Amino acid sequence: MHIIKDMGWIEVVTGSMFSGKSEELIRRVKRARYGKKKTIVFKPEIDDRYCPNSVVSHSGDQVNAININSATEIFNYVTEDIEVVAIDEVQFFGKDVIDVCQKLANQGKRVITAGLDTDFKGVPFGHTHILMSVAEYVDKLQAICVVCGNPASKTQRLIEGRPASALDPIILVGAKESYEARCRRCHVVPM
Ligand code: ADP
Ligand code: ZN
């Protein structure tokens, strides 16, 4: 990345589950802090994976984060001196996340976002795709397909070990569900 002076911008790190989005967000935040940039990290309240006050990657890296319900709450925390704002699981926020990121970037801040581009059905998730179109930098990462070893761009949802259908309820009570990374060929969404 080149040197940018007196200007903010938006970065999007996207891809399937397990593609390393959180890992990459954490890496960028840590590097910004080595550079003595005042940095703050947010994540949606809904994501309570492992630890409520941190962004934690599947490999165990972590960084402290503030839980928020709505993207506009970010303005309650971001003071003028903050130079870098990171937002994980950006797909869970409403459409106002776009305006929030644009405003922060227009104020001269570096905005690092990470989130799923598609859901388990393979269709755009939340507003990540819009954020990708207004961002200066987009990195689409891939995981490894656990079935065949190809690069994986899809998230497979399993219910009791079997591929979930597009019609299965999003919230399941009592059933065991899980997710895995799969390539285009191995990703299955039965009708
Ligand atoms: P994301 O935020 O995209 O879900 P994370 O950054 O939390 O991903 O986790 C990435 C890490 O997940 C990898 O570094 C690796 O240790 C682990 N991992 C587990 N399953 C896979 C897989 N199928 N492909 C790639 N990495 C995987
Ligand atoms: Zn595969």
Side-chain angles (χ1 to χ4, degrees), residues 144-152 181-187:
I144 299 299
C145 175
V146 295
V147 179
C148 75
N150 271 330
R182 291 204 189 178
C183 71
R184 175 181 290 279
R185 232 181 28 179
C186 301
H187 182 249

Side-chain angles (χ1 to χ4, degrees), residues 45-113:
E45 190 92 59
I46 181 174
D47 174 43
D48 52 10
R49 178 169 86 185
Y50 311 128
C51 181
N53 300 314
S54 305
V55 167
V56 184
S57 79
H58 287 103
S59 55
D61 288 351
Q62 58 175 293
V63 73
N64 284 348
I66 298 168
N67 285 303
I68 48 173
N69 283 306
S70 131
T72 50
E73 287 174 46
I74 288 176
F75 295 123
N76 301 337
Y77 298 93
V78 176
T79 44
E80 220 181 299
D81 56 330
I82 288 177
E83 296 160 283
V84 181
V85 179
I87 312 168
D88 198 22
E89 302 288 359
V90 78
Q91 78 279 355
F92 286 130
F93 289 109
K95 199 169 180 202
D96 51 2
V97 75
I98 311 293
D99 269 351
V100 170
C101 291
Q102 295 269 53
K103 274 201 187 114
L104 292 168
N106 290 341
Q107 286 168 6
K109 305 193 191 295
R110 173 183 177 190
V111 183
I112 308 170
T113 67

